[in-house]
């Protein structure tokens, strides 16, 4: 796969119809989430009425992308009982939904017969794939990017199979 990996902002700003994201890890340990995750563990919760305190600039990018007519969907495959990290993600997902993203959750036990790629990914307009590769601990490793039609189809088929079975965010309880 090419080493020139577009940023999330570049990918989303270039999206014309769709942007889908499949997440499959139960724990992420990315640097920019460590402090918010620790605060959440100490009892802090986002205030639904205080949009200025939400995850910026990401949610602005989501709102702008959706505002251009791009459908953004995110699906998460999770083990149950869920980890504290998934509880943290779930508690803040209302911000993604408020920005215009559609989000669903699929218990891992319901995904056993779905063929999925080895890494989380973003699929843009059914043609461009950015794989998010993580270390064993959950920190960001080197992302990968491809526009290979076979890989895009694999990711599209996997995402759609997960999406079809997954539970809408508003209905999924952790």
């Amino acid at each position: 796969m090419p080493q020139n990996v577009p940023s999330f902002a570049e990918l989303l700003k270039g999206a014309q119809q769709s942007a889908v994201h499949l997440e499959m890890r139960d724990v992420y340990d990315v640097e920019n989430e460590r402090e918010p995750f620790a605060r959440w563990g100490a009892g802090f919760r986002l205030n639904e009425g205080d949009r200025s305190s939400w995850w910026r600039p990401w949610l602005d990018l989501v709102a702008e992308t959706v505002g251009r007519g791009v459908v953004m969907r995110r699906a998460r495959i999770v083990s149950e009982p869920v980890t504290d990290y998934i509880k943290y993600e779930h508690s803040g997902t209302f911000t993604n939904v408020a920005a215009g993203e559609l989000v669903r959750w699929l218990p891992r036990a319901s995904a056993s017969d779905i063929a999925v790629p080895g890494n989380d990914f973003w699929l843009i307009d059914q043609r461009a794939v950015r794989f998010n590769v993580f270390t064993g601990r959950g920190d960001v490793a080197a992302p990968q990017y491809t526009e290979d039609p076979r890989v895009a189809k694999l990711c599209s088929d996997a995402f759609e199979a997960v999406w079809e079975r997954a539970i809408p965010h508003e209905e999924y309880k952790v």
Side-chain angles (χ1 to χ4, degrees):
M1 291 190 189
Q3 295 301 314
N4 188 11
V5 178
S7 70
F8 292 118
E10 290 170 325
L11 284 171
L12 292 179
K13 286 180 180 183
Q16 296 178 1
Q17 298 173 343
S18 64
V20 301
H21 184 42
L22 182 61
E23 297 178 35
M24 299 179 280
R25 295 182 58 92
D26 289 317
V27 175
Y28 294 87
D29 186 30
V30 294
E31 187 174 335
N32 68 331
E33 290 184 353
R34 288 180 187 141
E35 190 269 331
F37 179 53
R39 287 180 41 221
W40 177 87
F44 174 80
R45 298 297 182 266
L46 290 172
N47 179 340
E48 291 190 36
D50 184 10
R51 287 180 175 237
S52 65
S53 69
W54 298 355
W55 187 17
R56 305 285 184 221
W58 173 252
L59 294 171
D60 295 328
L61 179 59
V62 169
E64 183 261 307
T65 302
V66 171
R68 290 188 290 106
V70 176
V71 176
M72 288 187 70
R73 296 181 293 159
R74 178 185 306 254
R76 294 175 170 140
I77 298 174
V78 296
S79 299
E80 292 181 322
V82 299
T83 63
D84 285 345
Y85 183 85
I86 294 301
K87 290 176 186 175
Y88 158 73
E89 270 194 333
H90 189 271
S91 76
T93 295
F94 73 89
T95 64
N96 298 70
V97 173
E101 231 181 313
L102 304 170
V103 181
R104 292 187 180 180
W105 304 80
L106 182 63
R108 194 169 308 280
S110 297
S112 296
D113 62 343
I114 299 174
V116 296
N119 293 294
D120 292 8
F121 64 84
W122 279 92
L123 173 63
I124 307 298
D125 292 332
Q126 301 291 313
R127 62 164 189 80
V129 181
R130 178 187 163 125
F131 287 104
N132 298 334
V133 182
F134 295 92
T135 67
R137 286 191 337 262
D139 200 1
V140 175
Q144 300 170 345
Y145 178 80
T146 185
E147 293 184 11
D148 181 324
R150 293 169 300 160
V151 176
K153 182 172 180 355
L154 168 73
C155 292
S156 178
D157 290 349
F159 184 86
E160 294 305 329
V162 169
W163 188 259
E164 183 178 309
R165 291 185 191 176
I167 302 162
H169 173 70
E170 298 78 15
E171 298 171 25
Y172 185 72
K173 305 301 177 211
V174 296

